[in-house]
Amino acid sequence: MTFKIFLHRKAAKLIEGLNPRDRERVKEGLKSLEGFPAGGLDIVKISGEDNVYRIRFGKLRALFKVYRSEKAIVIIKIDHRKRVYG
């Protein structure tokens, strides 16, 4: 099943502010979400939330929500691991 990936504007703004190495790592990781729930990715479901997951990119985390009926993934937030869950 192939998913479409959508970025919240705040997540897109944070990606643009990253250094080039981290920016490419995040972009490649988000692109790989099209094949969700593919193996090989560090994805964990967020407890207490419906269809909300996180993917890890080194010290960065991205929170995303999966809409299975629409085959869409919305990247809600990307930030450093200390700040992303707050």
Side-chain angles (χ1 to χ4, degrees), residues 12-78:
K13 186 176 179 181
L14 188 120
I15 289 174
E16 295 307 316
L18 294 174
N19 65 54
R21 188 174 130 242
D22 287 339
R23 184 180 313 131
E24 283 306 311
R25 185 182 341 170
V26 169
K27 284 183 179 181
E28 289 299 317
L30 294 179
K31 202 175 287 188
S32 66
L33 282 176
E34 290 176 345
F36 180 81
L41 298 174
D42 190 4
I43 297 174
V44 176
K45 184 175 184 322
I46 302 297
S47 62
E49 299 287 335
D50 291 332
N51 298 320
V52 177
Y53 298 82
R54 74 104 173 114
I55 185 168
R56 183 175 65 89
F57 311 106
K59 291 187 177 184
L60 296 171
R61 305 290 188 269
L63 298 180
F64 62 95
K65 188 159 186 163
V66 177
Y67 298 93
R68 293 183 193 278
S69 60
E70 292 89 7
K71 294 184 181 175
I73 293 177
V74 178
I75 309 301
I76 302 167
K77 188 174 184 181
I78 301 173

